């Protein structure tokens, strides 16, 4: 499946773009990110000096711009050459490709199509990063040797919890397969929510907020094509009316931003943040839940990388058969296809 | 050279197929072996869940069958799906390819063609594994980064002993090139025997059975296409009539089963067992000869992997020239070709 | 860019070709070098026994010639088989390809075209290796994962000193870009010299010869297509008339032979020697300058390997733009093209 290009992908966490050039591969393009010294704005160029092809990531950010580490050719944020070593004027052709970027909610987003077509209104809003009082959070990125779609799919079918995460966050397998699930397709992707009413709280929840009584538990996911999944997971003691109002204190409440960016057809950048909506004054609460989620994500990574490897050596998805639990996954693929089709028309 | 598929290859030692799934690549197919809990029988399926393509080797053997470790889809020994997570009936297409297997003489054999065509009468008999009183033995498998044919060839031309194994089991080079050799082509492969009459016993033999006087020494090999070589090597003191009756006690006597299974065009599984026909009450005797043979096999592996690498980068066998010592190798190739031709006809 | 074959490449330092076979890949050919026991002459054959394709580098040099380590087939310096194991005569086809070689100035040169066409008059003379009294020296080889042309280019554009070597031998960037440069194209390549008059001596020079006053500094390079660059770098105190006579004692003076041999399109052998024209009685002087140059060459290697990797993944040199400092590089490419064109005609 080809990558939609006229769309935004997460390129980096804002704090990663600092004094030194940062290299990332996105949709098969080698990109170098840097922060302009004068304006403080993030910028993205093709990671290839157009003098002799050296990668700009080995260069330095100077007052003039990004300077190649081989012969000193220097570029501004638009990719125009602003300095060459030695005498003589700068050839007008000396320009590297640039990409539109925008920094918002602690994320550096990149538009992989023509910069002039970049539609900044379509960037995913994630206001929880800005509300650190209510949602203290921790951010991370890990690489996965699999197509980004396989990672989105992993999130669309939670029956895997009982098997992939059986020794960590999985809990009772029957509970997951019996969950009440509502799936709503949307223009931008899809929304689903699963309810486990009146069920025993998982160990993670008890550890986080001390609940021991039965809880009404929810897992809400919204997919925004191509690569974002916004998750809100939580539980309130049964009887507190969780289904009517989930935004009460005293329960377990966790938001996760999953942002999947394709490096190549078979490798991805998995950016994610966890925001804990409880014990906000206690940094250990954030660290604890981060570690638990990270452990589970490593289990997903191992499974999805093995799945990718098997698909690669056996003709891709040929002969695979959908079952009932694939409903969200099927809607997800349709939403992505609409974006690809639309993106290629506009 | 293509692999014959309508034939038996060794897939595993029987003891390797136990509580956990075992993955093997055979003739370019990724296979998972497991043992049915109810019947105790070994089974082999394609190592790819037909739900989402995850490798079944990451799953678990349950009472119902082999359960995928991703979403819990479960298969019986025939590859039919017997369980899916969640509600709804099992789609009839949910089936993975299965392979005929048979366990005999401590070996799990696999038929790589259509299971319905599997001819169980053609499995190699190797009764020595069952006769542990006379033939105590030790089994092993190592991988070799070379086509399986190059390893069979290695066994068909023993002049290599003087060079590859010169510091281990090689002995006197002249003795090997002067050996009396009888080659007999057979329908199923070929048989050859080499005699070194009245020659000094190699260090290995002296160490094993304490012989110091001159011996009559034999090396007998039978090749069964495509991948099996049955070896009987031994020596009796000169004068004891070895050529008339080799099955006497008091000499050196060693049986080796070599079973070569192609993983890919350029990698192989080398299964082998050694059975010592002397000092049967002493487990050290088995261990000692196992270690000596293993050391020699590592020398072969190094040479054959280098040979494979050179052949790959220089147009294969083009321009190679046969010499007198290639006689058994030439018969071996013909037998294999007959199997390929016949296998494709039936 | 294809490799010219009817030309000489450095295959090895003479001292590397000794008792054991030495394997080298040159212009995509796997070569084995050895020294004939009778004549002491170096020889080069294809590294592939024509019996079963085993690499001859795993063999041994014997009194008869190079003996294959698999079955003992033995070749003389012309690649003719002189011995096979066992009875029977040697098939006349049993011959491996040989290459013309010549040992001169401590270098083993190889002609990659037809041996009969080898023109020994075209071998680069480098008499400094023979004059150890005036030019004590140290020799080395390292492999670089880049096309050999990228390494020659590195030497043709010294503006890189200010960036790649800024923390080692680079010195003042402005000095390098302001240097007086004279480029003279030649039939066999090109010659250029750069002068930095009345400039502060680099730390390396001061350390080597104790100069602290300002110096007139030169960097002279001659390129001989396809792979050789002869460098003479030095400095004399300003006022001693360096431009009129560089061959005075008391200054800094260093000769480097750079000999680049293609292994493949994307990997090279970088042979080099440094000869110090000062403190000739002190072995530490040679070792000191060797270490400094080696450090700088590792910096070049890192940059050029990254450049190669970027070029490979972005369509090669497409879209690259020359600037003023590329003048020597452009002449270099033309000289090489002449050799390729001429070499294919003759």
């Amino acid at each position: 499946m080809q990558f939609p290009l006229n769309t935004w992908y997460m390129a980096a966490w804002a704090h990663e773009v600092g004094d030194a050039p940062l290299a990332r591969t996105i949709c098969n393009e080698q990109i170098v990110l840097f922060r302009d010294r004068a304006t403080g704005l993030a910028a993205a160029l093709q990671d290839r000096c157009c003098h002799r092809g050296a990668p700009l990531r080995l260069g330095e950010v100077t007052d003039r711009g990004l300077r190649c580490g081989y012969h000193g050719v220097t570029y501004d944020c638009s990719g125009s050459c602003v300095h060459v070593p030695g005498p003589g004027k700068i050839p007008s052709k000396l320009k590297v490709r640039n990409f539109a970027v925008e920094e918002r909610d602690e994320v550096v987003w990149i538009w992989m199509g023509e910069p002039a077509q970049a539609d900044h209104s379509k960037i995913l809003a994630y206001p929880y990063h800005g509300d650190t009082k209510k949602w203290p959070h921790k951010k991370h990125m890990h690489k996965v040797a699999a197509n980004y779609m396989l990672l989105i799919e992993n999130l669309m079918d939670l029956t895997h919890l009982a098997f992939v995460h059986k020794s960590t966050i999985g809990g009772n397998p029957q509970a997951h397969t019996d969950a009440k699930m509502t799936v709503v397709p949307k223009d931008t992707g899809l929304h689903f929510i699963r309810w486990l009413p009146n069920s025993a709280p998982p160990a993670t929840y008890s550890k986080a907020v001390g609940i021991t009584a039965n809880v009404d538990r929810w897992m809400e996911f919204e997919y925004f094509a191509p690569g974002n999944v916004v998750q809100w997971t939580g539980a309130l003691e049964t009887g507190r009316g969780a289904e009517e109002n989930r935004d009460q204190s005293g329960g377990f409440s966790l938001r996760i931003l999953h942002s999947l960016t394709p490096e190549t057809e078979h490798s991805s950048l998995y950016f994610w943040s966890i925001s804990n909506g409880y014990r906000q004054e206690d940094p250990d609460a954030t660290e604890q839940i981060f570690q638990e989620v990270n452990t589970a994500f490593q289990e997903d990574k191992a499974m999805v990388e093995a799945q990718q490897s098997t698909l690669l050596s056996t003709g891709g998805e040929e002969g695979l058969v959908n079952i009932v639990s694939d409903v969200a996954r099927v809607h997800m693929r349709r939403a992505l296809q609409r974006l690809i089709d639309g993106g290629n028309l506009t």
Side-chain angles (χ1 to χ4, degrees), chain A:
Chain A
M1 191 177 256
Q2 87 198 100
F3 307 129
L5 296 181
N6 286 327
T7 190
W8 297 94
Y9 292 97
M10 184 162 168
W13 291 112
H15 73 265
E16 295 181 293
V17 182
D19 289 340
L22 175 71
R24 289 273 146 86
T25 297
I26 300 179
C27 298
N28 291 320
E29 295 286 347
Q30 290 177 34
I31 306 271
V32 61
L33 296 153
F34 67 104
R35 196 173 285 283
D36 185 72
R37 280 201 184 169
T39 63
L41 292 176
L45 303 179
Q46 189 184 12
D47 187 18
R48 177 189 193 250
C49 180
C50 61
H51 169 222
R52 293 303 304 145
L56 295 170
R57 65 178 171 273
L58 298 182
E60 279 182 62
V61 180
T62 70
D63 287 339
R64 278 171 174 146
L66 180 58
R67 186 178 71 195
C68 180
Y70 200 171
H71 302 100
V73 175
T74 305
Y75 303 93
D76 66 14
C77 292
S78 75
S80 294
C81 177
V82 292
H83 182 73
V84 295
K89 64 178 205 141
I90 299 171
S92 60
K93 284 195 213 156
L94 214 54
K95 188 175 183 337
V96 301
R97 183 176 167 200
N98 80 316
F99 295 86
V101 296
E102 182 167 326
E103 190 171 331
R104 191 189 288 185
D105 299 325
E106 306 186 355
V107 172
V108 176
W109 298 97
I110 189 167
W111 176 270
M112 292 304 296
E114 282 304 306
Q117 296 185 20
D119 181 347
H120 291 256
S121 73
K122 295 208 169 149
I123 293 175
L124 177 75
Y126 197 74
Y128 313 103
H129 284 160
D131 184 5
T132 50
K133 203 152 180 182
K134 188 164 175 197
W135 295 106
H137 57 275
K138 183 163 177 177
K139 293 166 292 194
H140 198 61
M141 188 274 283
H142 60 268
K143 297 193 178 190
V144 182
N147 186 284
Y148 77 123
M149 273 298 101
L150 297 184
L151 289 157
I152 304 277
E153 283 185 18
N154 174 271
L155 297 168
M156 296 293 110
D157 183 354
L158 300 187
T159 62
H160 83 270
L161 292 175
F163 303 101
V164 177
H165 307 304
K166 67 174 185 288
S167 58
T168 54
I169 59 167
N172 177 1
Q174 204 52 42
H176 287 287
T177 52
D178 291 352
K180 230 174 37 179
M181 168 109 167
T182 315
V183 180
V184 180
K186 300 209 161 189
D187 279 354
T188 52
L190 73 104
H191 175 275
F192 74 84
I193 187 162
R194 292 158 61 91
W195 279 98
L196 282 70
N198 198 14
S199 63
T204 301
Y205 296 15
S206 305
K207 204 159 114 191
V209 292
I211 292 182
T212 52
N214 267 14
V215 293
D216 295 346
R217 197 175 151 193
W218 71 89
M219 281 162 277
E220 182 190 40
F221 286 77
E222 186 157 2
Y223 167 62
F224 298 90
N228 298 302
V229 175
V230 171
Q231 175 182 353
W232 185 18
T233 282
L236 283 168
E237 279 188 29
T238 302
R240 291 191 56 192
E243 294 214 31
E244 287 71 44
N245 177 15
R246 286 180 280 158
D247 206 6
Q248 304 177 49
S249 62
F252 179 80
S253 185
L254 174 70
R255 290 187 182 276
I256 307 183
L257 172 64
H258 311 257
S259 195
L260 279 307
T261 299
E263 275 196 323
T264 68
E265 291 294 331
H266 309 119
S267 65
S268 307
L269 305 173
Y270 197 150
F271 295 96
W272 55 281
S273 70
I274 56 101
S275 306
N276 53 304
Y278 55 85
R279 288 167 54 204
Q280 287 91 342
E281 309 300 312
D282 179 5
D284 284 353
T286 307
E287 186 60 29
Q288 222 169 60
I289 192 69
F290 174 84
Q291 292 302 341
E292 290 222 30
V293 170
N294 193 32
T295 299
F297 280 10
Q298 296 306 313
E299 292 171 332
D300 287 319
K301 172 179 154 80
M303 177 57 75
V304 169
E305 290 184 342
Q307 178 193 18
Q308 175 70 81
S309 170
T310 295
L311 289 173
L312 271 174
S313 61
T314 57
E317 304 205 353
E318 198 183 310
L320 298 187
V321 179
N322 289 337
I323 58 178
V324 168
S325 59
D326 288 304
V327 54
R329 194 181 64 74
V330 169
H331 283 301
M332 180 273 285
R333 287 278 181 137
R334 284 182 194 151
L336 180 65
Q337 194 59 53
R338 282 196 304 275
L339 182 68
I340 291 171
D341 296 345
N344 289 336
L345 292 173
T346 56

